[in-house]
């Protein structure tokens, strides 16, 4: 008798579905605003993926000074340095708002990268995008004034240039944090924020709402080697 059982076709691998699913080697957890995700010095044995929310990455110096080195949003990975041999976390991470975070063990991450080409492509595309962002940040620090650096940071936080962008920044960032991220003083940030608000580039009342006019102003302005900060 011929086999009449239907052939079971393997479902195509979907990286987003994989990252949202709880299974061996993966956990999905909710974090409240300001809740710690991991601390500097913790054992580095997981890679994190943001399903929802924003995460702040900070570094604490030997003298106790804390600096913000990055803000990560939905669809981004962080903590992936463990894949290349990092034993301890060199930074700390905190939820800037309510977050949903997938944590993947190092072994599960490496196994999936080896077994699923679609996931490998997805992860490599993220790493390339992040590398490009780091290069842009370096150029920004070297050649642009603090005013232009602040404008670029606000546009990035508002997701301009991404699908679904041009929306209000859904978190309240202190002027101290903004100053740390662009390498200037709080008083300079305050001056530029007031200038942007007076020109109608932003609304600043409890949260930062960035308008497309700020992007237009940045594009019109020719970048120059910074004279002072």
């Amino acid at each position: 008798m011929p086999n009449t059982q239907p052939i079971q076709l393997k479902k195509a691998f979907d990286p987003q579905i994989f990252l949202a699913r709880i299974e061996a080697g993966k956990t999905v957890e909710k974090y409240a605003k300001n809740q710690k995700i991991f601390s500097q010095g913790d054992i580095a044995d997981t890679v994190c993926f943001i399903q929802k929310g924003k995460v702040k990455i900070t570094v604490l110096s030997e003298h106790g000074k804390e600096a913000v080195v990055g803000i990560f949003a939905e669809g981004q990975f962080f903590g992936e340095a463990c894949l290349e041999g990092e034993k301890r976390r060199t930074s700390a991470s905190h939820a800037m708002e309510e977050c949903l975070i997938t944590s993947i063990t190092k072994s599960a991450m490496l196994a999936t990268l080896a077994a699923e080409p679609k996931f490998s492509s997805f992860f490599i595309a993220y790493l390339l995008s992040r590398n490009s962002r780091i290069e842009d940040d370096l150029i920004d620090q070297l050649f642009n004034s603090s005013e232009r650096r602040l404008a670029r940071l606000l546009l990035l936080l508002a997701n301009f240039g991404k699908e679904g962008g041009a929306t209000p920044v859904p978190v309240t960032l202190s002027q101290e944090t903004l100053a740390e991220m662009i390498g200037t003083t709080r008083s300079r940030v305050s001056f530029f924020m007031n200038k942007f608000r007076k020109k109608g580039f932003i609304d600043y009342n409890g949260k930062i709402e960035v308008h497309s006019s700020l992007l237009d102003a940045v594009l019109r302005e020719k970048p120059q080697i910074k004279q002072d900060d």
Side-chain angles (χ1 to χ4, degrees):
M1 292 287 294
N3 186 358
T4 58
Q5 293 292 325
I7 298 175
Q8 297 292 326
L9 298 177
K10 183 181 178 181
K11 290 183 179 179
F13 182 87
D14 186 321
Q16 295 285 359
I17 292 176
F18 166 77
L19 289 165
R21 190 171 57 224
I22 299 174
E23 57 188 18
K26 277 204 282 82
T27 60
V28 178
E29 296 184 60
K30 289 183 178 180
Y31 290 87
K33 182 178 179 180
N34 297 325
Q35 185 176 350
K36 178 185 70 176
I37 301 169
F38 57 71
S39 298
Q40 187 170 329
D42 283 354
I43 294 174
D45 57 0
T46 58
V47 179
C48 299
F49 177 79
I50 306 171
Q51 292 192 47
K52 176 186 174 184
K54 281 188 171 68
V55 171
K56 177 174 67 175
I57 307 296
T58 60
V59 172
L60 192 66
S61 74
E62 293 180 357
H63 304 290
K65 181 174 175 55
E66 185 179 77
V68 178
V69 295
I71 291 178
F72 292 80
E74 181 178 327
Q76 294 185 300
F77 293 89
F78 63 99
E80 71 277 3
C82 68
L83 299 177
E84 60 178 3
E86 181 182 88
K87 302 297 184 183
R88 298 277 177 176
R89 301 292 189 190
T90 58
S91 60
S93 59
H94 291 81
M96 299 184 68
E97 57 194 44
E98 186 176 289
C99 289
L100 187 65
I101 307 289
T102 299
S103 296
I104 315 169
T105 64
K106 176 180 176 180
S107 58
M109 186 75 176
L110 291 173
T112 308
L113 287 170
E116 299 291 351
K118 283 190 176 181
F119 187 68
S120 295
S121 297
F122 178 80
F123 187 61
I124 289 172
Y126 163 75
L127 292 178
L128 291 173
S129 174
R130 182 172 171 183
N131 184 64
S132 178
R133 165 75 183 274
I134 291 171
E135 289 180 355
D136 289 342
D137 287 347
L138 178 59
I139 292 170
D140 198 35
Q141 288 288 340
L142 290 174
F143 295 108
N144 288 331
S145 66
S146 54
E147 180 178 5
R148 189 179 173 91
R149 295 201 304 274
L150 177 60
R152 176 175 175 268
L153 175 59
L154 293 175
L155 290 166
L156 288 170
L157 289 171
N159 294 322
F160 271 87
K162 295 183 180 180
E163 185 179 350
T167 59
V169 177
V171 293
T172 300
L173 288 178
S174 70
Q175 292 185 354
E176 287 86 355
T177 298
L178 291 170
E180 287 174 4
M181 294 187 71
I182 64 171
T184 189
T185 63
R186 181 193 175 281
S187 61
R188 295 285 283 173
V189 167
S190 179
F191 174 79
F192 295 135
M193 292 289 280
N194 287 326
K195 179 179 177 180
F196 293 163
R197 180 165 50 187
K198 288 177 182 178
K199 289 189 173 184
F201 297 158
I202 65 171
D203 286 327
Y204 189 29
N205 183 21
K207 64 180 177 181
I208 306 167
E209 184 174 354
V210 181
H211 302 303
S212 59
S213 54
L214 179 61
L215 177 60
D216 295 337
V218 170
L219 292 175
R220 285 197 304 269
E221 180 188 343
K222 293 182 179 179
Q224 298 175 346
I225 295 178
K226 59 182 178 181
Q227 299 296 320
D228 63 299
D229 269 325

